[in-house]
């Protein structure tokens, strides 16, 4: 055996993968899929017939869940596609800072201060107006593949 000491640099997270494999033929409309490295919600699936050389192909049209851009991909139906782990969590809104970040209250009583206000104009104005009116607001935060964004808003009454 060698006398050298080996140095291992750990660049891994807790081992939880950002995606999981799923056969392309089993992915349905309103499901999720990774297209061009982006988590997308499937809005259209069409399957072509098998050709002379074999595979039926699935044509996916998806909308990026963070940027709302339309992306397309064609995959043989027997192949595996990456499907993102998508989580939705509700947080109570505490504060909005001038630089566009929000302060949220988590379930265990801690604050979460690393989220920006959404880029969607109608949602942005609803949050700002509701907060200015002194309403108690609960925001839904969608997270997938290491990204997080506010995607919905609920009003739980006045403060």
């Amino acid at each position: 055996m060698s006398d050298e000491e080996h140095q291992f640099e750990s660049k891994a997270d807790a081992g939880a993968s950002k995606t999981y494999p799923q056969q392309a033929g089993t992915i349905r409309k309103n499901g999720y899929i990774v297209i061009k490295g982006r988590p997308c919600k499937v809005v259209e699936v069409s399957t072509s017939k098998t050709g002379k050389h074999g595979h039926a192909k699935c044509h996916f049209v998806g909308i990026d869940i963070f940027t709302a851009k339309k992306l397309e991909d064609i995959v043989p139906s027997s192949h595996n596609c990456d499907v993102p782990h998508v989580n939705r969590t509700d947080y109570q809104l505490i504060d909005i800072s001038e630089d566009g970040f929000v302060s949220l209250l988590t379930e265990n009583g801690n604050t979460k201060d690393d989220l920006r206000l959404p880029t969607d104009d109608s949602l942005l104005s609803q949050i700002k107006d509701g907060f200015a009116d002194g309403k108690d607001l609960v925001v839904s935060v969608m997270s997938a593949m290491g990204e997080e964004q506010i995607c919905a808003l609920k009003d739980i009454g006045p403060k």
Side-chain angles (χ1 to χ4, degrees):
M1 287 300 205
S2 170
D3 291 337
E4 295 175 33
E5 278 192 40
H6 292 285
Q7 292 285 336
F8 293 105
E9 284 186 37
S10 176
K11 292 189 173 96
D13 51 14
S17 175
K18 293 178 175 147
T19 61
Y20 60 94
Q22 186 174 338
Q23 192 170 336
T26 63
I27 296 173
R28 298 280 167 248
K29 188 176 173 182
N30 293 333
Y32 294 100
I33 187 173
V34 177
I35 300 176
K36 296 184 177 91
R38 301 291 305 158
C40 298
K41 185 173 181 122
V42 179
V43 291
E44 192 182 318
V45 181
S46 55
T47 308
S48 66
K49 294 246 186 305
T50 53
K52 184 176 171 189
H53 297 292
H55 297 286
K57 297 213 172 22
C58 292
H59 176 240
F60 294 105
V61 178
I63 304 237
D64 188 315
I65 58 177
F66 297 122
T67 64
K69 284 197 178 114
K70 187 174 174 183
L71 297 164
E72 296 186 47
D73 200 6
I74 296 175
V75 184
S77 63
S78 58
H79 284 51
N80 279 351
C81 292
D82 283 335
V83 177
H85 290 287
V86 179
N87 292 324
R88 232 182 157 122
T89 320
D90 288 347
Y91 298 106
Q92 188 168 349
L93 181 67
I94 302 172
D95 192 21
I96 300 175
S97 63
E98 280 105 47
D99 57 357
F101 282 88
V102 291
S103 188
L104 304 172
L105 185 67
T106 62
E107 280 182 9
N108 59 11
N110 296 334
T111 58
K112 180 173 177 58
D113 302 310
D114 57 352
L115 267 176
R116 283 190 167 280
L117 280 165
T119 48
D120 177 38
D121 288 334
S122 66
L123 188 59
L124 178 66
S125 60
Q126 282 178 349
I127 291 173
K128 282 190 167 172
D129 294 347
F131 185 73
D133 294 346
K135 293 180 182 167
D136 260 345
L137 300 176
V138 172
V139 294
S140 290
V141 175
M142 194 177 293
S143 61
M145 298 178 67
E147 282 186 65
E148 290 182 312
Q149 186 174 321
I150 295 171
C151 61
L153 172 72
K154 286 186 212 123
D155 183 358
I156 56 170
K159 280 190 179 167

